[in-house]
Amino acid sequence: MATDASPKFQQRDLLPVPQPPDYHPAVTVNPAHDGLHFWQFMVAGSIAGTVEHMAMFPVDTIKTQMQALGTCPLRSASIRTALNGILKSAGIVGLYRGIGAMGLGAGPAHAVYFSVYESCKKRFSGGNPNNSAAHAISGVFATTASDAVFTPMDTVKQRLQLSESPYKGVLDCVKRVLKEEGFKAFYASYKTTVLMNAPYTAVHFTTYEAAKLGLSGVSSENASDERLIVHATAGAAAGASAALVTTPLDVVKTQLQCQGICGCDRFKSGSIGDVFRIIVKKDGYRGLMRGWMPRMLFHAPAAAICWSTYEAAKVFFQEHNTVSSSVT
């Protein structure tokens, strides 16, 4: 006799309920590329930028004084003369004047810088991580946004870095500039800064991504120490090459930010062409390359430090996200 299990003989409360295999609740936050969220790119960039600029600040001070022409006490383009002049007038402390302004500006500016770069790179690369055009365009967007954040504090920093600077500190400089020159003085060099940093970042990011790709082919992807060397070497090459190419515009930027201070020339207009012509008239074409050596000495190790720190922070967040997702 066939056994027919009728529904009336079954206990419905004991029937098994089918479940989908390996069910996990959906994560509500969408991660960006590289497995990181937008805020994690911001934090990583902020840390990298702060470490980079703080570590290399003395070299930046020498570069600023070499580029600030006029009747300033320091007129020589010699690194040794610049360094001796700073040490004689203010001692070791003179190399760090304005570091407070750098500390206030570098973190937020680099948070914007790297987060915008990563977002644009994801959007423009079309899924191709080796798209050099996407890297260059993303770098231009990144610097335009970050310069809007950093330019005011950069102006304060450079005025404090001048030999015999009339300002007592960051707050005093901000108050006096607002009172004597108005808010627009903080952005007098913004156009020049963007015009300088656009080609700088285009060369920088393109060189970095290309160098990283080339060096990664001869290093183990699983060796963290070798990955660190790759990022540092690629960063140094990118920083040095981009710094050399854009030195003339950096000289113009320094002139605009420091005009009228410590005997430096004041310009009737903020025209980049006018500043170029005045520099060439006073110091020849070599004047446009003032400070190129300390600029390269700054940007090569600074970029190495920055990219190494940034990539290390990214790895930390990637591991954190992996652990969090596995727990979930």
Side-chain angles (χ1 to χ4, degrees):
M1 180 176 178
T3 58
D4 183 13
S6 175
K8 66 181 180 179
F9 295 114
Q10 296 180 0
Q11 300 182 27
R12 294 182 181 274
D13 57 335
L14 297 181
L15 288 176
V17 179
Q19 296 288 333
D22 300 325
Y23 172 76
H24 295 288
V27 180
T28 56
V29 181
N30 293 322
H33 74 116
D34 287 346
L36 268 66
H37 304 286
F38 187 77
W39 69 268
Q40 291 173 326
F41 284 123
M42 294 188 72
V43 173
S46 179
I47 294 171
T50 302
V51 172
E52 166 200 0
H53 284 287
M54 293 299 187
M56 300 304 300
F57 194 83
V59 181
D60 184 60
T61 299
I62 295 172
K63 186 266 307 179
T64 296
Q65 292 209 13
M66 289 174 66
Q67 291 180 338
L69 294 176
T71 56
C72 289
L74 184 61
R75 295 179 59 87
S76 173
S78 165
I79 295 178
R80 179 179 297 179
T81 303
L83 178 59
N84 289 339
I86 295 169
L87 294 177
K88 184 177 180 180
S89 63
I92 295 293
V93 177
L95 293 171
Y96 290 91
R97 277 184 59 87
I99 197 170
M102 177 62 75
L104 290 172
H110 279 75
V112 172
Y113 187 79
F114 280 105
S115 57
V116 171
Y117 173 70
E118 295 287 0
S119 298
C120 290
K121 186 171 74 170
K122 179 185 178 183
R123 179 180 295 272
F124 297 139
S125 64
N128 178 14
N130 302 322
N131 190 331
S132 297
H135 300 154
I137 295 171
S138 299
V140 172
F141 275 93
T143 194
T144 302
S146 66
D147 285 342
V149 177
F150 187 59
T151 296
M153 281 296 102
D154 189 42
T155 299
V156 173
K157 171 195 73 81
Q158 291 207 308
R159 291 189 177 210
L160 289 170
Q161 286 176 320
L162 290 176
S163 178
E164 300 181 9
S165 173
Y167 305 109
K168 297 178 181 178
V170 175
L171 187 59
D172 178 57
C173 182
V174 171
K175 288 181 178 179
R176 289 179 58 179
V177 171
L178 284 174
K179 182 180 179 179
E180 298 169 6
E181 303 174 55
F183 182 76
K184 66 179 182 179
F186 290 113
Y187 281 94
S189 68
Y190 178 66
K191 182 169 63 175
T192 307
T193 302
V194 172
L195 288 175
M196 175 188 72
N197 284 339
Y200 175 90
T201 50
V203 173
H204 184 107
F205 281 113
T206 303
T207 304
Y208 173 75
E209 298 286 358
K212 183 175 70 171
L213 178 64
L215 292 169
S216 296
V218 296
S219 68
S220 172
E221 285 295 323
N222 297 321
S224 59
D225 56 338
E226 290 188 14
R227 285 203 306 269
L228 179 64
I229 293 173
V230 166
H231 296 312
T233 305
S241 57
L244 181 62
V245 170
T246 57
T247 293
L249 283 167
D250 189 52
V251 174
V252 174
K253 175 182 77 76
T254 300
Q255 293 270 346
L256 287 171
Q257 289 181 331
C258 299
Q259 57 181 316
I261 306 301
C262 185
C264 293
D265 294 329
R266 181 172 289 281
F267 305 99
K268 294 181 179 180
S269 73
S271 168
I272 297 173
D274 287 345
V275 179
F276 261 103
R277 283 190 288 271
I278 291 172
I279 293 172
V280 172
K281 183 179 179 180
K282 291 185 63 174
D283 203 40
Y285 285 101
R286 67 175 184 177
L288 296 173
M289 292 303 293
R290 275 187 179 268
W292 70 270
M293 188 175 293
R295 181 167 162 77
M296 288 185 67
L297 290 175
F298 173 88
H299 282 284
I305 294 169
C306 184
W307 279 110
S308 300
T309 306
Y310 178 65
E311 297 289 355
K314 282 175 60 177
V315 169
F316 170 80
F317 283 126
Q318 286 168 346
E319 293 176 350
H320 172 76
N321 292 345
T322 301
V323 172
S324 297
S325 61
S326 64
V327 171
T328 305

